[in-house]
Structure formats: structure tokens, C-alpha cells
Amino acid sequence: MRSKLFVNPDGTAKMQEIRIEARGKGGAIGIKAVSRLANMVNSLKACKTPQEVYDRYIQITGYCKCCLDCEFIDEKSADDLMCLSAYLAGNEQARAEAQQRAVRARKGRA
């Protein structure tokens, strides 16, 4: 896993790029499976509720295990991907919870 942090001129973090080199077998089918796995990880940010984040994370773990069992991805790549997925899911869980609190607060005022 490679990580690169981009900073603003004032030294604050602008964004972070994380790359995982997926190694494995399977030819075109393996590439399609790993691409789908990457899309699933990317879709965490589209989840609207904490439950959706949790459900998507569970789907990612199952799909990653399947890709590992079929040798579409090697063990190190799977471990790196799951570390990244857990980190992102935690961030998205916090975001979704904050959004739900904000909606509840607005409804309480209305």
C-alpha cells in the first residue's frame, strides 16, 4: 500500500491518495472481479446511513474473501485492501452518523 499526502501552501492537508497494488491471477475475469471490488470500496462514500455503510463493508469483506479464495487477488493485496476498507468505512460511518444527527436536529427545530 502506498500513501501520498497533498498539502495546501499553509501546510494543512488537502487530500490523501492511497494506492494498493493488487496482485493475483485470473486473467480478464480476475481483472473484472478486482475492478468490481475497487468500485465497491469507492461506493462507501455514497452510503447515506450508518447501516448502509456497515452493509457495504460486510459485502466488501465477503467479496474480498471470494477473490482471495479464487486467487484473483493475493493475500497481501487482500490485507491491504481490507485495512483501507476498514479505515474508509469508519470515516464514512462517522459522516453518516453526523448527517443523521443534523437531519434530526433540523426536524426538531421545524
Side-chain angles (χ1 to χ4, degrees):
M1 181 178 348
R2 289 189 204 157
S3 179
K4 183 189 276 187
L5 184 64
F6 296 90
V7 294
N8 291 316
D10 65 357
T12 59
K14 181 176 179 180
M15 70 178 205
Q16 184 175 10
E17 175 184 82
I18 300 172
R19 289 182 181 219
I20 296 173
E21 293 183 28
R23 293 181 192 88
K25 306 176 189 176
I29 294 172
I31 291 169
K32 185 176 180 181
V34 172
S35 294
R36 175 146 169 78
L37 187 54
N39 288 337
M40 291 173 78
V41 172
N42 193 43
S43 73
L44 281 167
K45 62 185 170 195
C47 295
K48 293 180 175 48
T49 66
Q51 186 64 47
E52 285 181 39
V53 173
Y54 175 77
D55 292 345
R56 179 51 51 128
Y57 178 72
I58 294 301
Q59 290 171 348
I60 291 167
T61 60
Y63 201 84
C64 186
K65 176 66 173 140
C66 183
C67 287
L68 179 61
D69 290 347
C70 294
E71 298 182 348
F72 292 153
I73 191 170
D74 68 7
E75 194 166 338
K76 177 164 179 4
S77 300
D79 287 346
D80 286 349
L81 182 70
M82 289 314 306
C83 286
L84 176 62
S85 297
Y87 173 76
L88 293 174
N91 286 346
E92 294 304 322
Q93 187 84 17
R95 176 200 47 82
E97 288 171 358
Q99 284 178 338
Q100 281 190 335
R101 283 192 299 274
V103 167
R104 280 188 232 126
R106 282 193 297 262
K107 286 183 180 178
R109 289 186 220 147

